Amino acid sequence: MTERNNKLDEISEQLNENIIAVKGTLELMDTSVTEDDLHDLLLKSMQRMDVIQKLSNDMLAALQSCLDKMAK
């Protein structure tokens, strides 16, 4: 159980880190000076959102695994 808890904690921490990074990037977008800056910030946000999506899928898979093991 501890290994699963550690895995879920790790995924949760990574999700939080990426969400905070996206929020910061979006705040920077509000103050961006040039179109190139804005474009770069949008790309960074999209990359972080891809990471968040992957981590969310990993978390759901880990939770499903836990539920499957509990049902046995």
Side-chain angles (χ1 to χ4, degrees):
M1 190 74 166
T2 304
E3 182 181 331
R4 286 183 292 231
N5 287 343
N6 290 342
K7 179 66 175 170
L8 290 174
D9 287 344
E10 179 185 330
I11 292 171
S12 177
E13 186 177 314
Q14 290 176 11
L15 277 169
N16 286 333
E17 177 185 317
N18 281 282
I19 289 168
I20 290 168
V22 169
K23 183 180 175 189
T25 301
L26 293 173
E27 289 170 350
L28 284 174
M29 286 173 57
D30 187 40
T31 61
S32 67
V33 178
T34 68
E35 218 172 289
D36 287 340
D37 290 341
L38 184 59
H39 180 72
D40 290 343
L41 291 170
L42 282 169
L43 287 177
K44 287 179 184 179
S45 288
M46 288 188 292
Q47 290 169 347
R48 288 287 186 164
M49 292 304 294
D50 287 342
V51 171
I52 290 169
Q53 184 178 19
K54 182 191 176 307
L55 290 169
S56 295
N57 289 336
D58 291 349
M59 181 171 275
L60 289 174
L63 287 171
Q64 185 62 52
S65 174
C66 290
L67 293 173
D68 290 346
K69 289 181 182 181
M70 289 172 56
K72 290 182 182 181

Short mmCIF file of all heavy atoms in Angstrom, two decimals:
data_model
loop_
_atom_site.label_atom_id
_atom_site.label_comp_id
_atom_site.label_asym_id
_atom_site.label_seq_id
_atom_site.Cartn_x
_atom_site.Cartn_y
_atom_site.Cartn_z
N MET A 1 0.83 -1.19 0.00
CA MET A 1 0.00 0.00 0.00
C MET A 1 0.88 1.26 0.00
O MET A 1 0.54 2.23 -0.64
CB MET A 1 -0.93 -0.04 1.21
CG MET A 1 -1.99 1.00 1.19
SD MET A 1 -3.24 0.56 -0.02
CE MET A 1 -4.50 1.68 0.44
N THR A 2 1.99 1.22 0.72
CA THR A 2 2.88 2.37 0.81
C THR A 2 3.43 2.75 -0.56
O THR A 2 3.54 3.92 -0.89
CB THR A 2 4.03 2.10 1.79
OG1 THR A 2 3.48 1.74 3.05
CG2 THR A 2 4.91 3.31 1.96
N GLU A 3 3.77 1.73 -1.36
CA GLU A 3 4.30 2.00 -2.70
C GLU A 3 3.27 2.73 -3.55
O GLU A 3 3.58 3.69 -4.25
CB GLU A 3 4.70 0.70 -3.38
CG GLU A 3 5.30 0.89 -4.76
CD GLU A 3 5.67 -0.44 -5.41
OE1 GLU A 3 5.98 -1.40 -4.68
OE2 GLU A 3 5.62 -0.49 -6.64
N ARG A 4 2.01 2.30 -3.45
CA ARG A 4 0.95 2.97 -4.22
C ARG A 4 0.74 4.39 -3.71
O ARG A 4 0.55 5.32 -4.49
CB ARG A 4 -0.35 2.17 -4.12
CG ARG A 4 -0.31 0.91 -4.96
CD ARG A 4 -1.64 0.22 -4.88
NE ARG A 4 -1.84 -0.29 -3.54
CZ ARG A 4 -2.19 -1.52 -3.24
NH1 ARG A 4 -2.42 -2.38 -4.19
NH2 ARG A 4 -2.35 -1.91 -2.00
N ASN A 5 0.78 4.56 -2.40
CA ASN A 5 0.63 5.90 -1.83
C ASN A 5 1.76 6.81 -2.30
O ASN A 5 1.52 7.97 -2.63
CB ASN A 5 0.62 5.85 -0.30
CG ASN A 5 -0.67 5.29 0.25
OD1 ASN A 5 -1.69 5.23 -0.44
ND2 ASN A 5 -0.64 4.87 1.49
N ASN A 6 2.97 6.29 -2.30
CA ASN A 6 4.11 7.08 -2.76
C ASN A 6 3.95 7.47 -4.23
O ASN A 6 4.25 8.60 -4.61
CB ASN A 6 5.41 6.31 -2.56
CG ASN A 6 5.78 6.17 -1.11
OD1 ASN A 6 5.30 6.90 -0.26
ND2 ASN A 6 6.65 5.23 -0.81
N LYS A 7 3.47 6.53 -5.06
CA LYS A 7 3.28 6.81 -6.48
C LYS A 7 2.21 7.89 -6.66
O LYS A 7 2.39 8.83 -7.43
CB LYS A 7 2.87 5.52 -7.21
CG LYS A 7 2.62 5.70 -8.69
CD LYS A 7 3.88 6.06 -9.44
CE LYS A 7 3.61 6.10 -10.93
NZ LYS A 7 4.72 6.66 -11.68
N LEU A 8 1.11 7.78 -5.94
CA LEU A 8 0.04 8.78 -6.04
C LEU A 8 0.52 10.14 -5.53
O LEU A 8 0.20 11.17 -6.11
CB LEU A 8 -1.20 8.33 -5.28
CG LEU A 8 -1.96 7.15 -5.90
CD1 LEU A 8 -3.09 6.71 -4.99
CD2 LEU A 8 -2.48 7.50 -7.28
N ASP A 9 1.29 10.14 -4.45
CA ASP A 9 1.84 11.40 -3.93
C ASP A 9 2.78 12.05 -4.95
O ASP A 9 2.76 13.27 -5.14
CB ASP A 9 2.60 11.17 -2.62
CG ASP A 9 1.68 10.90 -1.44
OD1 ASP A 9 0.47 11.19 -1.55
OD2 ASP A 9 2.18 10.41 -0.41
N GLU A 10 3.59 11.24 -5.60
CA GLU A 10 4.52 11.75 -6.61
C GLU A 10 3.76 12.35 -7.79
O GLU A 10 4.08 13.45 -8.25
CB GLU A 10 5.41 10.61 -7.11
CG GLU A 10 6.40 11.01 -8.18
CD GLU A 10 7.17 9.82 -8.72
OE1 GLU A 10 7.39 8.85 -7.97
OE2 GLU A 10 7.54 9.86 -9.90
N ILE A 11 2.74 11.65 -8.27
CA ILE A 11 1.94 12.17 -9.38
C ILE A 11 1.24 13.45 -8.97
O ILE A 11 1.22 14.43 -9.72
CB ILE A 11 0.93 11.11 -9.86
CG1 ILE A 11 1.67 9.93 -10.51
CG2 ILE A 11 -0.06 11.72 -10.85
CD1 ILE A 11 0.77 8.74 -10.81
N SER A 12 0.69 13.47 -7.76
CA SER A 12 -0.01 14.66 -7.27
C SER A 12 0.93 15.86 -7.20
O SER A 12 0.57 16.97 -7.61
CB SER A 12 -0.60 14.38 -5.89
OG SER A 12 -1.21 15.51 -5.36
N GLU A 13 2.13 15.62 -6.71
CA GLU A 13 3.13 16.70 -6.62
C GLU A 13 3.48 17.24 -8.01
O GLU A 13 3.58 18.45 -8.22
CB GLU A 13 4.38 16.18 -5.91
CG GLU A 13 5.42 17.24 -5.65
CD GLU A 13 6.61 16.67 -4.88
OE1 GLU A 13 6.39 15.94 -3.89
OE2 GLU A 13 7.75 16.97 -5.28
N GLN A 14 3.66 16.34 -8.97
CA GLN A 14 3.98 16.76 -10.33
C GLN A 14 2.82 17.53 -10.96
O GLN A 14 3.04 18.52 -11.67
CB GLN A 14 4.34 15.55 -11.19
CG GLN A 14 5.66 14.92 -10.82
CD GLN A 14 5.95 13.67 -11.63
OE1 GLN A 14 5.26 13.37 -12.61
NE2 GLN A 14 6.95 12.91 -11.22
N LEU A 15 1.59 17.08 -10.70
CA LEU A 15 0.42 17.81 -11.21
C LEU A 15 0.39 19.22 -10.65
O LEU A 15 0.20 20.19 -11.39
CB LEU A 15 -0.86 17.08 -10.83
CG LEU A 15 -1.30 15.93 -11.73
CD1 LEU A 15 -2.43 15.15 -11.09
CD2 LEU A 15 -1.71 16.44 -13.09
N ASN A 16 0.57 19.34 -9.34
CA ASN A 16 0.56 20.65 -8.71
C ASN A 16 1.65 21.56 -9.29
O ASN A 16 1.41 22.74 -9.56
CB ASN A 16 0.72 20.53 -7.19
CG ASN A 16 -0.53 20.04 -6.52
OD1 ASN A 16 -1.63 20.23 -7.01
ND2 ASN A 16 -0.35 19.38 -5.39
N GLU A 17 2.83 21.01 -9.47
CA GLU A 17 3.95 21.78 -10.02
C GLU A 17 3.61 22.31 -11.41
O GLU A 17 3.84 23.48 -11.72
CB GLU A 17 5.20 20.91 -10.08
CG GLU A 17 6.40 21.58 -10.69
CD GLU A 17 7.58 20.62 -10.84
OE1 GLU A 17 7.84 19.86 -9.89
OE2 GLU A 17 8.22 20.65 -11.90
N ASN A 18 3.04 21.45 -12.24
CA ASN A 18 2.70 21.86 -13.61
C ASN A 18 1.54 22.84 -13.64
O ASN A 18 1.53 23.77 -14.45
CB ASN A 18 2.40 20.64 -14.47
CG ASN A 18 3.68 19.97 -14.92
OD1 ASN A 18 4.32 20.43 -15.84
ND2 ASN A 18 4.06 18.89 -14.25
N ILE A 19 0.57 22.67 -12.78
CA ILE A 19 -0.56 23.60 -12.72
C ILE A 19 -0.07 24.98 -12.30
O ILE A 19 -0.46 26.00 -12.88
CB ILE A 19 -1.66 23.07 -11.79
CG1 ILE A 19 -2.35 21.86 -12.45
CG2 ILE A 19 -2.68 24.16 -11.46
CD1 ILE A 19 -3.26 21.08 -11.52
N ILE A 20 0.79 25.03 -11.30
CA ILE A 20 1.35 26.30 -10.85
C ILE A 20 2.17 26.95 -11.97
O ILE A 20 2.10 28.16 -12.19
CB ILE A 20 2.19 26.11 -9.57
CG1 ILE A 20 1.27 25.78 -8.40
CG2 ILE A 20 3.04 27.34 -9.27
CD1 ILE A 20 1.98 25.28 -7.15
N ALA A 21 2.93 26.13 -12.70
CA ALA A 21 3.73 26.67 -13.82
C ALA A 21 2.84 27.24 -14.91
O ALA A 21 3.14 28.31 -15.46
CB ALA A 21 4.64 25.57 -14.38
N VAL A 22 1.75 26.55 -15.23
CA VAL A 22 0.83 27.06 -16.26
C VAL A 22 0.20 28.36 -15.79
O VAL A 22 0.10 29.34 -16.54
CB VAL A 22 -0.25 26.02 -16.61
CG1 VAL A 22 -1.36 26.64 -17.47
CG2 VAL A 22 0.37 24.84 -17.34
N LYS A 23 -0.20 28.40 -14.53
CA LYS A 23 -0.80 29.62 -13.99
C LYS A 23 0.19 30.79 -14.10
O LYS A 23 -0.17 31.89 -14.52
CB LYS A 23 -1.22 29.41 -12.54
CG LYS A 23 -1.89 30.61 -11.94
CD LYS A 23 -2.29 30.35 -10.50
CE LYS A 23 -2.86 31.61 -9.90
NZ LYS A 23 -3.07 31.50 -8.48
N GLY A 24 1.43 30.54 -13.73
CA GLY A 24 2.46 31.58 -13.82
C GLY A 24 2.69 32.02 -15.26
O GLY A 24 2.84 33.21 -15.54
N THR A 25 2.69 31.07 -16.17
CA THR A 25 2.88 31.40 -17.58
C THR A 25 1.73 32.25 -18.10
O THR A 25 1.93 33.23 -18.82
CB THR A 25 3.01 30.11 -18.43
OG1 THR A 25 4.12 29.35 -17.95
CG2 THR A 25 3.23 30.43 -19.90
N LEU A 26 0.52 31.89 -17.70
CA LEU A 26 -0.65 32.68 -18.13
C LEU A 26 -0.60 34.09 -17.55
O LEU A 26 -0.99 35.05 -18.22
CB LEU A 26 -1.94 31.96 -17.73
CG LEU A 26 -2.21 30.64 -18.46
CD1 LEU A 26 -3.43 29.95 -17.87
CD2 LEU A 26 -2.38 30.87 -19.95
N GLU A 27 -0.12 34.21 -16.32
CA GLU A 27 0.03 35.54 -15.73
C GLU A 27 1.07 36.36 -16.50
O GLU A 27 0.90 37.56 -16.73
CB GLU A 27 0.40 35.44 -14.26
CG GLU A 27 -0.75 34.94 -13.39
CD GLU A 27 -0.33 34.61 -11.96
OE1 GLU A 27 0.87 34.57 -11.66
OE2 GLU A 27 -1.25 34.34 -11.16
N LEU A 28 2.15 35.70 -16.93
CA LEU A 28 3.17 36.38 -17.73
C LEU A 28 2.61 36.82 -19.09
O LEU A 28 2.97 37.88 -19.61
CB LEU A 28 4.38 35.47 -17.96
CG LEU A 28 5.34 35.30 -16.79
CD1 LEU A 28 6.39 34.25 -17.14
CD2 LEU A 28 6.00 36.62 -16.45
N MET A 29 1.72 36.00 -19.63
CA MET A 29 1.11 36.34 -20.92
C MET A 29 0.38 37.68 -20.83
O MET A 29 0.36 38.44 -21.79
CB MET A 29 0.14 35.25 -21.37
CG MET A 29 0.82 34.00 -21.86
SD MET A 29 -0.33 32.65 -22.20
CE MET A 29 -1.41 33.42 -23.38
N ASP A 30 -0.21 37.93 -19.69
CA ASP A 30 -0.95 39.17 -19.49
C ASP A 30 -0.04 40.39 -19.61
O ASP A 30 -0.49 41.47 -19.99
CB ASP A 30 -1.65 39.13 -18.12
CG ASP A 30 -2.58 40.29 -17.90
OD1 ASP A 30 -3.28 40.67 -18.86
OD2 ASP A 30 -2.61 40.81 -16.77
N THR A 31 1.24 40.19 -19.28
CA THR A 31 2.18 41.32 -19.31
C THR A 31 3.19 41.24 -20.46
O THR A 31 4.13 42.03 -20.50
CB THR A 31 2.96 41.40 -17.98
OG1 THR A 31 3.71 40.19 -17.82
CG2 THR A 31 2.03 41.59 -16.81
N SER A 32 3.01 40.25 -21.36
CA SER A 32 3.99 40.08 -22.44
C SER A 32 4.01 41.31 -23.34
O SER A 32 3.00 41.97 -23.56
CB SER A 32 3.68 38.83 -23.26
OG SER A 32 2.48 38.97 -23.96
N VAL A 33 5.20 41.60 -23.83
CA VAL A 33 5.42 42.83 -24.57
C VAL A 33 5.28 42.62 -26.08
O VAL A 33 4.66 43.43 -26.76
CB VAL A 33 6.83 43.40 -24.25
CG1 VAL A 33 7.10 44.66 -25.03
CG2 VAL A 33 6.97 43.64 -22.76
N THR A 34 5.83 41.53 -26.59
CA THR A 34 5.83 41.33 -28.03
C THR A 34 4.99 40.11 -28.41
O THR A 34 4.68 39.26 -27.57
CB THR A 34 7.27 41.11 -28.56
OG1 THR A 34 7.74 39.84 -28.06
CG2 THR A 34 8.20 42.22 -28.12
N GLU A 35 4.67 40.04 -29.68
CA GLU A 35 3.93 38.90 -30.18
C GLU A 35 4.74 37.61 -30.06
O GLU A 35 4.21 36.54 -29.79
CB GLU A 35 3.55 39.14 -31.65
CG GLU A 35 2.18 38.63 -31.99
CD GLU A 35 1.75 39.05 -33.38
OE1 GLU A 35 1.47 40.25 -33.57
OE2 GLU A 35 1.69 38.16 -34.23
N ASP A 36 6.06 37.71 -30.26
CA ASP A 36 6.94 36.54 -30.11
C ASP A 36 6.92 36.04 -28.67
O ASP A 36 6.89 34.82 -28.43
CB ASP A 36 8.36 36.87 -30.54
CG ASP A 36 8.51 37.00 -32.05
OD1 ASP A 36 7.64 36.48 -32.78
OD2 ASP A 36 9.49 37.63 -32.48
N ASP A 37 6.96 36.97 -27.71
CA ASP A 37 6.88 36.57 -26.30
C ASP A 37 5.58 35.84 -26.03
O ASP A 37 5.55 34.81 -25.36
CB ASP A 37 6.96 37.80 -25.37
CG ASP A 37 8.33 38.44 -25.35
OD1 ASP A 37 9.31 37.77 -25.75
OD2 ASP A 37 8.42 39.61 -24.93
N LEU A 38 4.51 36.38 -26.53
CA LEU A 38 3.20 35.79 -26.33
C LEU A 38 3.15 34.39 -26.94
O LEU A 38 2.66 33.44 -26.31
CB LEU A 38 2.12 36.68 -26.95
CG LEU A 38 0.68 36.26 -26.75
CD1 LEU A 38 0.32 36.18 -25.27
CD2 LEU A 38 -0.24 37.24 -27.45
N HIS A 39 3.67 34.24 -28.13
CA HIS A 39 3.70 32.94 -28.80
C HIS A 39 4.51 31.92 -28.00
O HIS A 39 4.06 30.79 -27.80
CB HIS A 39 4.29 33.10 -30.21
CG HIS A 39 4.36 31.82 -30.97
ND1 HIS A 39 3.26 31.18 -31.48
CD2 HIS A 39 5.44 31.04 -31.28
CE1 HIS A 39 3.63 30.08 -32.08
NE2 HIS A 39 4.95 29.96 -31.98
N ASP A 40 5.68 32.31 -27.53
CA ASP A 40 6.52 31.41 -26.74
C ASP A 40 5.81 30.98 -25.45
O ASP A 40 5.86 29.81 -25.05
CB ASP A 40 7.85 32.08 -26.39
CG ASP A 40 8.76 32.23 -27.59
OD1 ASP A 40 8.53 31.55 -28.62
OD2 ASP A 40 9.70 33.05 -27.50
N LEU A 41 5.14 31.92 -24.80
CA LEU A 41 4.42 31.60 -23.56
C LEU A 41 3.25 30.66 -23.82
O LEU A 41 2.99 29.74 -23.03
CB LEU A 41 3.95 32.88 -22.88
CG LEU A 41 5.05 33.76 -22.29
CD1 LEU A 41 4.50 35.11 -21.86
CD2 LEU A 41 5.74 33.07 -21.12
N LEU A 42 2.57 30.86 -24.93
CA LEU A 42 1.48 29.95 -25.29
C LEU A 42 2.00 28.53 -25.53
O LEU A 42 1.39 27.56 -25.08
CB LEU A 42 0.74 30.45 -26.53
CG LEU A 42 -0.25 31.58 -26.31
CD1 LEU A 42 -0.71 32.16 -27.63
CD2 LEU A 42 -1.44 31.10 -25.51
N LEU A 43 3.13 28.42 -26.22
CA LEU A 43 3.72 27.11 -26.46
C LEU A 43 4.10 26.42 -25.15
O LEU A 43 3.86 25.22 -24.97
CB LEU A 43 4.94 27.23 -27.36
CG LEU A 43 4.67 27.53 -28.83
CD1 LEU A 43 5.98 27.70 -29.59
CD2 LEU A 43 3.82 26.44 -29.46
N LYS A 44 4.69 27.18 -24.22
CA LYS A 44 5.06 26.62 -22.93
C LYS A 44 3.83 26.14 -22.17
O LYS A 44 3.84 25.07 -21.55
CB LYS A 44 5.83 27.64 -22.10
CG LYS A 44 7.24 27.88 -22.59
CD LYS A 44 7.95 28.90 -21.74
CE LYS A 44 9.33 29.21 -22.31
NZ LYS A 44 10.03 30.22 -21.54
N SER A 45 2.77 26.92 -22.22
CA SER A 45 1.53 26.53 -21.53
C SER A 45 0.96 25.25 -22.13
O SER A 45 0.53 24.36 -21.40
CB SER A 45 0.48 27.64 -21.63
OG SER A 45 0.84 28.72 -20.81
N MET A 46 0.98 25.16 -23.45
CA MET A 46 0.45 23.96 -24.09
C MET A 46 1.28 22.73 -23.74
O MET A 46 0.73 21.64 -23.51
CB MET A 46 0.37 24.16 -25.60
CG MET A 46 -0.74 25.11 -26.01
SD MET A 46 -1.02 25.22 -27.78
CE MET A 46 0.47 26.01 -28.34
N GLN A 47 2.60 22.89 -23.67
CA GLN A 47 3.45 21.76 -23.29
C GLN A 47 3.15 21.31 -21.87
O GLN A 47 3.08 20.11 -21.58
CB GLN A 47 4.92 22.15 -23.43
CG GLN A 47 5.36 22.31 -24.87
CD GLN A 47 6.73 22.96 -24.99
OE1 GLN A 47 7.28 23.51 -24.04
NE2 GLN A 47 7.29 22.92 -26.20
N ARG A 48 2.98 22.27 -20.96
CA ARG A 48 2.65 21.93 -19.58
C ARG A 48 1.29 21.24 -19.49
O ARG A 48 1.10 20.32 -18.71
CB ARG A 48 2.66 23.18 -18.69
CG ARG A 48 4.01 23.75 -18.42
CD ARG A 48 4.77 22.90 -17.45
NE ARG A 48 6.03 23.53 -17.10
CZ ARG A 48 6.74 23.19 -16.07
NH1 ARG A 48 6.35 22.23 -15.27
NH2 ARG A 48 7.88 23.80 -15.81
N MET A 49 0.34 21.70 -20.29
CA MET A 49 -0.99 21.07 -20.28
C MET A 49 -0.90 19.63 -20.78
O MET A 49 -1.60 18.75 -20.26
CB MET A 49 -1.98 21.88 -21.12
CG MET A 49 -2.31 23.24 -20.54
SD MET A 49 -2.94 23.20 -18.85
CE MET A 49 -4.49 22.36 -19.09
N ASP A 50 -0.02 19.36 -21.74
CA ASP A 50 0.20 17.98 -22.19
C ASP A 50 0.73 17.13 -21.06
O ASP A 50 0.31 15.98 -20.87
CB ASP A 50 1.17 17.94 -23.38
CG ASP A 50 0.56 18.45 -24.67
OD1 ASP A 50 -0.68 18.53 -24.78
OD2 ASP A 50 1.35 18.79 -25.59
N VAL A 51 1.66 17.68 -20.29
CA VAL A 51 2.22 16.96 -19.14
C VAL A 51 1.12 16.70 -18.10
O VAL A 51 1.01 15.60 -17.55
CB VAL A 51 3.39 17.75 -18.50
CG1 VAL A 51 3.82 17.13 -17.19
CG2 VAL A 51 4.57 17.82 -19.47
N ILE A 52 0.30 17.71 -17.84
CA ILE A 52 -0.79 17.56 -16.87
C ILE A 52 -1.76 16.46 -17.33
O ILE A 52 -2.20 15.64 -16.53
CB ILE A 52 -1.53 18.90 -16.67
CG1 ILE A 52 -0.62 19.88 -15.91
CG2 ILE A 52 -2.85 18.71 -15.93
CD1 ILE A 52 -1.13 21.30 -15.87
N GLN A 53 -2.06 16.44 -18.62
CA GLN A 53 -2.96 15.41 -19.13
C GLN A 53 -2.35 14.02 -18.94
O GLN A 53 -3.04 13.09 -18.51
CB GLN A 53 -3.25 15.65 -20.61
CG GLN A 53 -4.24 14.68 -21.19
CD GLN A 53 -4.56 14.97 -22.64
OE1 GLN A 53 -3.83 15.66 -23.32
NE2 GLN A 53 -5.69 14.46 -23.09
N LYS A 54 -1.06 13.85 -19.23
CA LYS A 54 -0.41 12.56 -19.05
C LYS A 54 -0.40 12.15 -17.59
O LYS A 54 -0.71 11.00 -17.24
CB LYS A 54 1.02 12.59 -19.59
CG LYS A 54 1.72 11.25 -19.48
CD LYS A 54 3.19 11.35 -19.75
CE LYS A 54 3.92 10.04 -19.56
NZ LYS A 54 3.70 9.39 -18.28
N LEU A 55 -0.08 13.10 -16.70
CA LEU A 55 -0.05 12.79 -15.27
C LEU A 55 -1.45 12.44 -14.76
O LEU A 55 -1.60 11.54 -13.93
CB LEU A 55 0.50 13.98 -14.48
CG LEU A 55 2.00 14.24 -14.66
CD1 LEU A 55 2.37 15.60 -14.05
CD2 LEU A 55 2.81 13.13 -14.02
N SER A 56 -2.46 13.11 -15.25
CA SER A 56 -3.83 12.80 -14.85
C SER A 56 -4.19 11.38 -15.27
O SER A 56 -4.80 10.63 -14.49
CB SER A 56 -4.82 13.78 -15.48
OG SER A 56 -4.60 15.08 -14.99
N ASN A 57 -3.80 11.00 -16.48
CA ASN A 57 -4.04 9.63 -16.94
C ASN A 57 -3.29 8.62 -16.08
O ASN A 57 -3.82 7.56 -15.75
CB ASN A 57 -3.66 9.48 -18.41
CG ASN A 57 -4.61 10.20 -19.33
OD1 ASN A 57 -5.76 10.46 -19.00
ND2 ASN A 57 -4.13 10.56 -20.51
N ASP A 58 -2.04 8.95 -15.73
CA ASP A 58 -1.26 8.07 -14.86
C ASP A 58 -1.92 7.91 -13.50
O ASP A 58 -1.98 6.80 -12.94
CB ASP A 58 0.16 8.61 -14.67
CG ASP A 58 1.02 8.54 -15.92
OD1 ASP A 58 0.60 7.87 -16.90
OD2 ASP A 58 2.10 9.15 -15.92
N MET A 59 -2.45 9.01 -12.97
CA MET A 59 -3.09 8.96 -11.66
C MET A 59 -4.35 8.11 -11.73
O MET A 59 -4.61 7.30 -10.84
CB MET A 59 -3.42 10.36 -11.14
CG MET A 59 -4.06 10.35 -9.77
SD MET A 59 -4.22 11.98 -9.06
CE MET A 59 -2.59 12.14 -8.33
N LEU A 60 -5.13 8.28 -12.78
CA LEU A 60 -6.34 7.47 -12.92
C LEU A 60 -6.00 5.99 -13.04
O LEU A 60 -6.69 5.14 -12.46
CB LEU A 60 -7.15 7.94 -14.12
CG LEU A 60 -7.85 9.28 -13.95
CD1 LEU A 60 -8.49 9.71 -15.26
CD2 LEU A 60 -8.87 9.23 -12.84
N ALA A 61 -4.95 5.67 -13.77
CA ALA A 61 -4.53 4.27 -13.91
C ALA A 61 -4.07 3.71 -12.56
O ALA A 61 -4.40 2.57 -12.21
CB ALA A 61 -3.41 4.16 -14.94
N ALA A 62 -3.34 4.51 -11.79
CA ALA A 62 -2.89 4.06 -10.47
C ALA A 62 -4.08 3.86 -9.54
O ALA A 62 -4.13 2.88 -8.78
CB ALA A 62 -1.91 5.07 -9.88
N LEU A 63 -5.04 4.77 -9.58
CA LEU A 63 -6.23 4.62 -8.75
C LEU A 63 -7.03 3.39 -9.15
O LEU A 63 -7.53 2.66 -8.29
CB LEU A 63 -7.11 5.87 -8.84
CG LEU A 63 -6.60 7.10 -8.12
CD1 LEU A 63 -7.45 8.32 -8.48
CD2 LEU A 63 -6.59 6.89 -6.62
N GLN A 64 -7.16 3.15 -10.46
CA GLN A 64 -7.88 1.96 -10.93
C GLN A 64 -7.18 0.70 -10.45
O GLN A 64 -7.83 -0.25 -10.02
CB GLN A 64 -7.98 1.97 -12.45
CG GLN A 64 -8.81 0.82 -13.00
CD GLN A 64 -10.24 0.89 -12.54
OE1 GLN A 64 -10.88 1.91 -12.67
NE2 GLN A 64 -10.75 -0.20 -11.99
N SER A 65 -5.86 0.70 -10.48
CA SER A 65 -5.09 -0.45 -10.00
C SER A 65 -5.35 -0.69 -8.52
O SER A 65 -5.54 -1.83 -8.08
CB SER A 65 -3.61 -0.22 -10.25
OG SER A 65 -2.84 -1.25 -9.68
N CYS A 66 -5.39 0.39 -7.74
CA CYS A 66 -5.67 0.26 -6.31
C CYS A 66 -7.07 -0.31 -6.08
O CYS A 66 -7.25 -1.20 -5.25
CB CYS A 66 -5.57 1.63 -5.62
SG CYS A 66 -3.91 2.29 -5.50
N LEU A 67 -8.03 0.21 -6.81
CA LEU A 67 -9.41 -0.28 -6.66
C LEU A 67 -9.53 -1.74 -7.07
O LEU A 67 -10.23 -2.52 -6.41
CB LEU A 67 -10.37 0.59 -7.48
CG LEU A 67 -10.53 2.03 -7.00
CD1 LEU A 67 -11.37 2.82 -7.99
CD2 LEU A 67 -11.15 2.07 -5.62
N ASP A 68 -8.84 -2.13 -8.14
CA ASP A 68 -8.86 -3.52 -8.58
C ASP A 68 -8.28 -4.44 -7.51
O ASP A 68 -8.81 -5.51 -7.23
CB ASP A 68 -8.10 -3.68 -9.88
CG ASP A 68 -8.79 -3.06 -11.08
OD1 ASP A 68 -9.99 -2.73 -10.97
OD2 ASP A 68 -8.12 -2.86 -12.12
N LYS A 69 -7.18 -4.02 -6.90
CA LYS A 69 -6.54 -4.84 -5.87
C LYS A 69 -7.40 -4.93 -4.62
O LYS A 69 -7.43 -5.92 -3.94
CB LYS A 69 -5.15 -4.30 -5.54
CG LYS A 69 -4.17 -4.55 -6.67
CD LYS A 69 -2.78 -4.05 -6.37
CE LYS A 69 -1.89 -4.32 -7.58
NZ LYS A 69 -0.53 -3.90 -7.38
N MET A 70 -8.12 -3.84 -4.30
CA MET A 70 -9.01 -3.84 -3.13
C MET A 70 -10.21 -4.75 -3.36
O MET A 70 -10.73 -5.33 -2.42
CB MET A 70 -9.48 -2.42 -2.83
CG MET A 70 -8.40 -1.53 -2.27
SD MET A 70 -8.88 0.22 -2.12
CE MET A 70 -10.34 0.12 -1.13
N ALA A 71 -10.64 -4.89 -4.61
CA ALA A 71 -11.82 -5.69 -4.93
C ALA A 71 -11.53 -7.19 -4.88
O ALA A 71 -12.45 -7.99 -4.81
CB ALA A 71 -12.35 -5.31 -6.32
N LYS A 72 -10.26 -7.57 -4.91
CA LYS A 72 -9.89 -9.00 -4.90
C LYS A 72 -10.05 -9.61 -3.55
O LYS A 72 -9.99 -9.14 -2.53
CB LYS A 72 -8.46 -9.17 -5.39
CG LYS A 72 -8.32 -8.88 -6.86
CD LYS A 72 -6.92 -9.10 -7.30
CE LYS A 72 -6.77 -8.77 -8.78
NZ LYS A 72 -5.44 -8.99 -9.26
#
